């Protein structure tokens, strides 16, 4: 899969042709496929828990509750299986996370950058991206890098 979880991040990091006002990175993450599987596990857990609470309304029989609890206990096994399957099939993002950040430091071109971070985002890597972009802008401009942050 090209571009990782940000879409075509590699192309974005390499710069684009034509004039742009700037770039906006919302909750940038440079996660591996395994990291994405773990995020999906966390999301699935919360979604299933809320859905079960709503469906059961506290009135489910013990057999239904036991079945749900058993399924929830097996989610880590499903996650491990998905991670192994992704690795065995060679499913990971290109460029690699390291290559993407290196591109940010060496090749990224933009007049301005805005990084948006969400408070409870376990995969957000705007800190790493910002460090690399600032290194890039040190070579391109005199003075402060045109990189701004917003936390939502």
């Amino acid at each position: 899969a090209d571009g990782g979880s940000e879409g075509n991040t590699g192309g974005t990091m390499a710069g684009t042709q034509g004039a742009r006002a700037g770039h906006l990175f919302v909750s940038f993450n440079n996660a591996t496929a395994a990291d994405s599987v773990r995020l999906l596990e966390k999301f699935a857990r919360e979604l299933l828990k809320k859905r079960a609470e709503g469906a059961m309304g506290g009135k489910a029989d013990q057999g239904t509750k036991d079945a749900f609890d058993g399924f929830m206990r097996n989610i880590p096994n499903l996650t491990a299986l998905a991670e192994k399957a992704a690795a065995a099939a060679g499913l990971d993002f290109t460029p690699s996370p390291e290559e993407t950040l290196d591109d940010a430091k060496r090749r990224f071109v933009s007049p301005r950058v805005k990084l948006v971070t969400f408070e409870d985002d376990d995969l957000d890597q705007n800190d790493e991206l910002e460090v690399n972009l600032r290194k890039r802008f040190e070579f391109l401009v005199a003075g402060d890098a045109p990189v701004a942050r917003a936390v939502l």
Side-chain angles (χ1 to χ4, degrees):
D2 185 32
S5 7
E6 253 321 278
N8 188 359
T9 309
T12 301
M13 290 302 170
T16 55
Q17 295 181 355
R20 289 196 180 270
H23 286 82
L24 173 69
F25 291 92
V26 178
S27 190
F28 172 80
N29 79 69
N30 202 21
T32 64
D35 290 336
S36 297
V37 168
R38 285 188 288 276
L39 177 64
L40 184 58
E41 174 191 359
K42 180 180 175 182
F43 175 74
R45 247 182 220 285
E46 290 301 314
L47 181 66
L48 290 170
K49 183 178 174 186
K50 288 181 182 181
R51 191 163 187 188
E53 287 170 356
M56 290 183 208
K59 299 177 186 172
D61 61 59
Q62 191 60 44
T64 302
K65 289 179 182 178
D66 290 344
F68 178 76
D69 289 342
F71 179 76
M72 293 297 281
R73 280 192 304 276
N74 280 306
I75 285 181
N77 296 331
L78 295 171
T79 301
L81 179 63
E83 288 174 2
K84 287 178 184 176
L91 296 177
D92 217 334
F93 303 116
T94 57
S96 71
E98 295 80 18
E99 291 169 325
T100 300
L101 290 174
D102 189 56
D103 281 349
K105 185 170 47 183
R106 298 181 188 277
R107 300 176 32 199
F108 185 72
V109 178
S110 182
R112 282 181 302 284
V113 176
K114 179 81 167 199
L115 305 173
V116 178
T117 300
F118 296 100
E119 288 181 8
D120 293 329
D121 187 343
D122 294 340
L123 288 182
D124 181 279
Q125 293 179 314
N126 274 329
D127 291 340
E128 292 176 60
L129 179 60
E130 183 175 3
V131 166
N132 285 282
L133 289 175
R134 288 191 183 281
K135 286 179 184 174
R136 172 66 178 158
F137 281 112
E138 286 175 11
F139 294 109
L140 295 178
V141 298
D144 291 335
V147 178
R149 289 287 291 264
V151 178
L152 304 176

